[in-house]
Amino acid sequence: MTRYGKRADLIVHEREPFNAETSLAALAEGPVTATDAFYVRGHGAVPEVDPATWRLEVRGLVERELDLSLVTLREAFREREVTATLQCAGNRRAGLIAIRDIPGEAPWGPGATGTATWSGVALADVLALAGPLDDAAHVGFEGADVSPEASPVQRFGGSVPLDKARRREVLLAWAMNGDPLPPVHGAPLRVVVPGYIGARSVKWLRSIEVRATPWEGYFQHVVYRLLPEDGTPGPGAGMPLGLAALNADVLSPANGATVAAGPVEVRGYAFAGGERYVARVDVSIDDAASWSQAELLDDLGPWAWRHWRTVVDLAPGEHEILVRAWDSSAATQPEDEAALWNPKGYVNNARPRIRVRAVAA
Amino acid sequence: MTRYGKRADLIVHEREPFNAETSLAALAEGPVTATDAFYVRGHGAVPEVDPATWRLEVRGLVERELDLSLVTLREAFREREVTATLQCAGNRRAGLIAIRDIPGEAPWGPGATGTATWSGVALADVLALAGPLDDAAHVGFEGADVSPEASPVQRFGGSVPLDKARRREVLLAWAMNGDPLPPVHGAPLRVVVPGYIGARSVKWLRSIEVRATPWEGYFQHVVYRLLPEDGTPGPGAGMPLGLAALNADVLSPANGATVAAGPVEVRGYAFAGGERYVARVDVSIDDAASWSQAELLDDLGPWAWRHWRTVVDLAPGEHEILVRAWDSSAATQPEDEAALWNPKGYVNNARPRIRVRAVAA
């Protein structure tokens, strides 16, 4: 065990604030990621929150402002459970950095993602009690964590459209994989916005603000925005990220592995984002000249990734395994990773490609 | 005027059933497509429906079956209006046929799309009266049109997930651009499912069936499915289409046009599909080496395309203008049209590319 109850095989990018990704071997263990292996993306120190005195404030464009204790949340609303994949917008940034450096941003590999079963109350139920007014259009979340990287220094926060906030999959969660939410994942209460970039699932939630406009804090108005290749970060520059993009990866074998020639099992994940679902995953061992379809494994519901598997026949020698997922809007992953390069290194969802060496048994 | 009150400049692919697409010049006239220029995709003869005796049946997994006249629909439910883009899944098939022939399918160009303001009642309101049962998960629609191309011969139909059917943008529409729905567009009542392929917006609606499973008729279970390149159409083969894919096109200048060298205005549309919106449109005149951002024009709400414009500076000579749209999930259009080829020729959403010749004034 290392800090925050995490396994030793997490890849730590930063110790303070703690930022660490899951190894692909741990992701390959199954479609639900173990809590002690789940990635952590923090923008400030883990705040110390006393659950006994903690309150959730709901304010802004509402008929009735709320100020709720954890006890009230648990007693007044029905408990709900959602299995949802979270994915950091910076996942796979290392692939973009390999093309051109991105100074000041952590070189996240492919493990800034994971799937857990979250329990808590539906944000929709809390909003219904508060009663959004007619001009309400967005719902903002503010955490207790203060981020020195923000300019000016501020608490982490972000918003989602009211239409999304009212869907029953958006939770205020106090449990993760059946256990109380760990401090590093946002205890006592965090937001879980399935289908959106991880940054909208605000941890250590302290206030909800019903708004007419999107969040104007640093983490939505300045960063977590996709800039054109020649763009410069700044307030309002670029497009705000929100809905997660279609992505996939190979979880096994490892990139660079040596395997026995013959039939080789290839496993991975695919995640569609938003309201889309994973419709198909194709695998090629001849550089996209031909594709075979992988088998989609356990269906954990509309908000979770799909693990997949296939078997490819590899002759002795060097091979490249190329994967492309398709979502239910008939979109597939971009071919060209270089064309995805952007100044902050977000949303690398290029087709994954690994190299393996097959040796005769 | 030609048949069905349509302008003479429609490009007719088939006279019976009537299938015709809009000219790009007509689409360029503005973000709302004139009714007399709107594309028509029919699978059978336009049925003769008497609005006085017409009834809408709601059946299946409901607490209460309904049998409603148009008068009741108008009196019992609030009238709603949505501006929505429809796009045929076969739009731009001609681009795929140019790569490899697709026998038996009409060579739709880029005009099998359009945007109209639709008025009627929310499907959600009608469903609420019927009361879907616990195992309801899909809502099917059947038209009065009988299609000889189906096997077996049957009425046109399709379904959408119940979650979508309950969203307020899904209409049962009796008006189009402020006038009564024309017969060729589904009078007296049609479904309009914004964000989905056109085939789900069933015309000449006669019955709604609340179901546990997706529609099993020909037009969802056999066709309107995306097959892999080497796939064979058949019941359940391939992935069902549903959510519309991100797409865009250049509406002006025309492909192959001769223009005056110097600043040239380029205009087009971009349509995101599903819950996504158009976040950015880029234009390149140097084969994707560099891109400039187009200006997004009139915002007609979340279910309509965006028209866009930009000005490029063209020296005398031959030029290629390349466009890529981005949606709010940070997805962009595929680069390679050839890689999109599929046996039925659906969902060609490759980056549009036109050639123009600039001559010195």
Side-chain angles (χ1 to χ4, degrees):
Chain A
M1 285 290 183
T2 59
R3 295 167 73 204
Y4 301 115
K6 290 291 175 183
R7 293 186 199 174
D9 70 343
L10 259 71
I11 299 143
V12 177
H13 290 290
E14 200 176 2
R15 289 192 58 81
E16 193 57 51
F18 189 61
N19 279 286
E21 70 178 283
T22 311
S23 70
L24 294 187
L27 293 182
E29 285 167 15
V32 173
T33 313
T35 301
D36 64 1
F38 209 93
Y39 83 100
V40 177
R41 173 67 176 112
H43 296 82
V46 172
E48 284 183 31
V49 183
D50 177 0
T53 59
W54 174 94
R55 313 285 292 183
L56 175 65
E57 184 184 50
V58 182
R59 57 191 167 78
L61 302 173
V62 291
E63 287 168 13
R64 176 183 167 194
E65 298 200 334
L66 307 177
D67 181 9
L68 306 169
S69 69
L70 272 177
V71 171
T72 304
L73 274 176
R74 285 175 180 275
E75 289 182 353
F77 301 98
R78 179 176 149 194
E79 183 168 341
R80 294 171 195 268
E81 188 180 284
V82 172
T83 299
T85 298
L86 295 186
Q87 186 160 111
C88 179
N91 189 45
R92 300 180 65 194
R93 180 181 288 135
L96 302 179
I97 289 175
I99 292 156
R100 188 167 4 142
D101 196 21
I102 300 175
E105 298 290 336
W108 291 93
T113 187
T115 298
T117 297
W118 311 92
S119 317
V121 298
L123 171 59
D125 292 342
V126 175
L127 288 175
L129 182 64
L133 298 175
D134 282 351
D135 45 351
H138 298 267
V139 177
F141 314 115
E142 192 177 57
D145 49 329
V146 175
S147 175
E149 75 189 63
S151 172
V153 169
Q154 62 196 263
R155 292 193 164 86
F156 188 82
S159 67
V160 298
L162 178 61
D163 275 356
K164 175 68 180 178
R166 279 179 160 149
R167 292 195 197 150
R168 61 184 178 278
E169 69 270 13
V170 182
L171 294 191
L172 307 180
W174 53 63
M176 179 177 181
N177 292 334
D179 292 314
L181 193 63
V184 77
H185 287 296
L189 197 75
R190 72 173 299 170
V191 188
V192 174
V193 185
Y196 273 58
I197 60 166
R200 297 298 177 262
S201 289
V202 172
K203 297 185 287 260
W204 312 290
L205 183 66
R206 63 197 297 273
S207 74
I208 292 173
E209 186 192 12
V210 180
R211 303 166 52 90
T213 57
W215 193 253
E216 278 157 20
Y218 181 80
F219 294 99
Q220 185 160 333
H221 198 55
V222 182
V223 298
Y224 290 113
R225 299 178 78 93
L226 190 73
L227 291 159
E229 198 174 357
D230 59 354
T232 305
M239 69 171 88
L241 298 175
L243 291 169
L246 173 67
N247 216 334
D249 225 322
V250 177
L251 300 177
S252 166
N255 188 21
T258 298
V259 298
V264 174
E265 183 182 57
V266 182
R267 286 187 296 139
Y269 84 83
F271 176 52
E275 67 192 345
R276 292 158 285 131
Y277 61 84
V278 175
R280 203 173 93 201
V281 174
D282 298 338
V283 177
S284 175
I285 55 171
D286 57 9
D287 199 25
S290 67
W291 299 88
S292 62
Q293 282 184 54
E295 178 192 1
L296 299 180
L297 305 175
D298 319 62
D299 184 352
L300 304 179
W303 306 106
W305 61 18
R306 293 295 289 268
H307 274 206
W308 52 264
R309 73 179 288 281
T310 192
V311 174
V312 295
D313 199 54
L314 299 183
E318 300 287 333
H319 296 275
E320 198 166 61
I321 299 173
L322 180 62
V323 173
R324 63 176 186 196
W326 297 79
D327 72 24
S328 52
S329 75
T332 186
Q333 297 179 260
E335 289 176 56
D336 183 6
E337 196 169 23
L340 298 175
W341 192 93
N342 63 87
K344 296 286 285 180
Y346 296 125
V347 198
N348 180 2
N349 70 335
R351 298 175 181 181
R353 193 184 277 271
I354 67 160
R355 291 183 165 278
V356 295
R357 182 159 172 255
V359 294
Chain B
M1 284 291 181
T2 59
R3 294 168 73 205
Y4 300 115
K6 291 290 176 183
R7 294 187 199 174
D9 69 343
L10 259 71
I11 300 145
V12 177
H13 289 290
E14 200 175 3
R15 288 192 58 82
E16 192 58 50
F18 189 61
N19 279 287
E21 69 177 287
T22 311
S23 70
L24 294 186
L27 293 182
E29 286 167 14
V32 173
T33 312
T35 301
D36 64 3
F38 209 93
Y39 82 99
V40 177
R41 173 68 176 112
H43 296 81
V46 172
E48 283 183 32
V49 183
D50 176 1
T53 58
W54 175 94
R55 313 286 292 184
L56 174 65
E57 185 184 49
V58 182
R59 57 193 167 78
L61 302 173
V62 290
E63 288 168 13
R64 177 183 167 194
E65 298 200 333
L66 307 177
D67 181 9
L68 306 170
S69 68
L70 271 177
V71 172
T72 304
L73 274 176
R74 286 175 180 274
E75 288 182 354
F77 301 98
R78 179 178 148 193
E79 183 169 341
R80 295 172 195 269
E81 187 180 286
V82 171
T83 299
T85 298
L86 296 186
Q87 186 159 110
C88 178
N91 189 45
R92 300 180 65 195
R93 181 180 288 135
L96 302 179
I97 289 175
I99 292 156
R100 186 164 11 138
D101 195 21
I102 300 174
E105 298 290 336
W108 292 94
T113 186
T115 298
T117 298
W118 310 92
S119 317
V121 298
L123 171 60
D125 292 343
V126 175
L127 289 175
L129 182 65
L133 298 175
D134 282 352
D135 46 351
H138 298 267
V139 177
F141 313 115
E142 192 176 59
D145 49 329
V146 175
S147 176
E149 76 188 66
S151 171
V153 168
Q154 62 196 264
R155 292 194 164 87
F156 188 82
S159 67
V160 298
L162 178 61
D163 275 356
K164 175 68 180 179
R166 280 181 158 148
R167 292 195 197 148
R168 61 183 179 279
E169 69 270 13
V170 182
L171 294 191
L172 307 180
W174 54 62
M176 180 178 180
N177 293 334
D179 291 314
L181 194 63
V184 77
H185 287 295
L189 197 76
R190 71 174 298 170
V191 187
V192 174
V193 185
Y196 274 58
I197 60 166
R200 298 298 177 261
S201 289
V202 172
K203 297 185 286 260
W204 312 290
L205 182 67
R206 63 197 295 273
S207 74
I208 292 173
E209 186 191 12
V210 180
R211 303 166 52 91
T213 58
W215 192 252
E216 278 157 19
Y218 180 81
F219 293 99
Q220 185 160 331
H221 198 55
V222 182
V223 297
Y224 291 112
R225 299 178 77 94
L226 191 72
L227 291 159
E229 197 174 359
D230 58 355
T232 305
M239 68 170 89
L241 298 175
L243 291 169
L246 174 67
N247 216 334
D249 224 322
V250 177
L251 300 178
S252 164
N255 188 22
T258 298
V259 298
V264 173
E265 183 181 59
V266 181
R267 285 186 297 139
Y269 85 82
F271 176 51
E275 68 191 343
R276 293 159 285 131
Y277 61 86
V278 174
R280 202 173 94 202
V281 174
D282 298 338
V283 177
S284 175
I285 55 171
D286 57 9
D287 199 27
S290 68
W291 298 89
S292 62
Q293 282 184 54
E295 177 192 1
L296 299 180
L297 305 175
D298 319 59
D299 184 351
L300 303 179
W303 305 107
W305 61 17
R306 293 295 290 269
H307 274 207
W308 51 264
R309 72 178 289 281
T310 193
V311 174
V312 294
D313 199 54
L314 299 184
E318 299 287 332
H319 296 274
E320 199 167 61
I321 299 173
L322 180 61
V323 172
R324 63 176 186 197
W326 297 78
D327 71 23
S328 52
S329 74
T332 186
Q333 296 180 261
E335 288 176 54
D336 183 6
E337 195 169 23
L340 298 175
W341 192 94
N342 62 87
K344 296 286 284 179
Y346 297 126
V347 199
N348 180 2
N349 70 336
R351 299 176 181 180
R353 195 183 276 271
I354 66 160
R355 291 184 164 278
V356 295
R357 182 158 173 257
V359 294

